């Protein structure tokens, strides 16, 4: 039997913030699957990666362009993804799903 999750509903503000963090990482230049998994292991969550200072991110091997993007992501790309998700039948799965 699987334990019940106490995670917020998919439409809650906490869930939206979490998904926005995942999408920011998805769109970051130079951040591939392997590096993302390493960052998640090191920092614990997408939100923690985004909250990390520049020095820890550089020490984790991120390029300046990647760090710059994380500080000022292309919100139009993320908004487009969220708009797509809002359409009936569309879902976005993350590594946490």
């Amino acid at each position: 039997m699987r334990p019940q999750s106490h995670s917020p509903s998919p439409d809650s503000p906490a869930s939206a913030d979490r998904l926005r963090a995942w999408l920011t990482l998805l769109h970051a230049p130079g951040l591939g699957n392997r590096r993302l998994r390493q960052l998640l292991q090191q920092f614990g969550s997408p939100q923690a990666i985004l909250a990390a200072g520049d020095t820890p991110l550089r020490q984790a091997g991120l390029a300046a362009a990647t760090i710059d993007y994380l500080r000022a992501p292309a919100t139009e790309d993320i908004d487009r993804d969220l708009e797509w998700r809002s359409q009936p039948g569309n879902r976005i799965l993350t590594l946490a799903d």
Side-chain angles (χ1 to χ4, degrees):
M1 181 176 202
R2 188 175 176 171
Q4 285 191 337
S5 171
H6 295 288
S7 61
S9 73
D11 297 323
S12 74
S15 181
D17 289 345
R18 193 170 20 259
L19 182 55
R20 190 169 281 279
W22 278 108
L23 292 171
T24 298
L25 296 172
L26 172 72
H27 287 289
L31 189 57
N33 187 42
R34 182 177 304 144
R35 178 60 51 97
L36 177 55
R37 287 177 183 271
Q38 291 169 345
L39 291 172
L40 288 168
Q41 185 174 18
Q42 181 176 348
F43 292 98
S45 72
Q47 297 92 323
I49 295 168
L50 296 177
D54 291 358
T55 300
L57 293 174
R58 276 194 303 275
Q59 290 171 340
L62 294 188
T66 304
I67 295 170
D68 289 346
Y69 180 89
L70 296 179
R71 299 295 173 242
T75 56
E76 62 275 0
D77 293 339
I78 296 166
D79 291 341
R80 186 174 43 248
D81 292 342
L82 293 172
E83 174 62 28
W84 176 87
R85 177 185 172 260
S86 72
Q87 302 303 310
N90 291 349
R91 302 285 183 270
I92 296 175
L93 297 177
T94 69
L95 292 173
D97 293 324

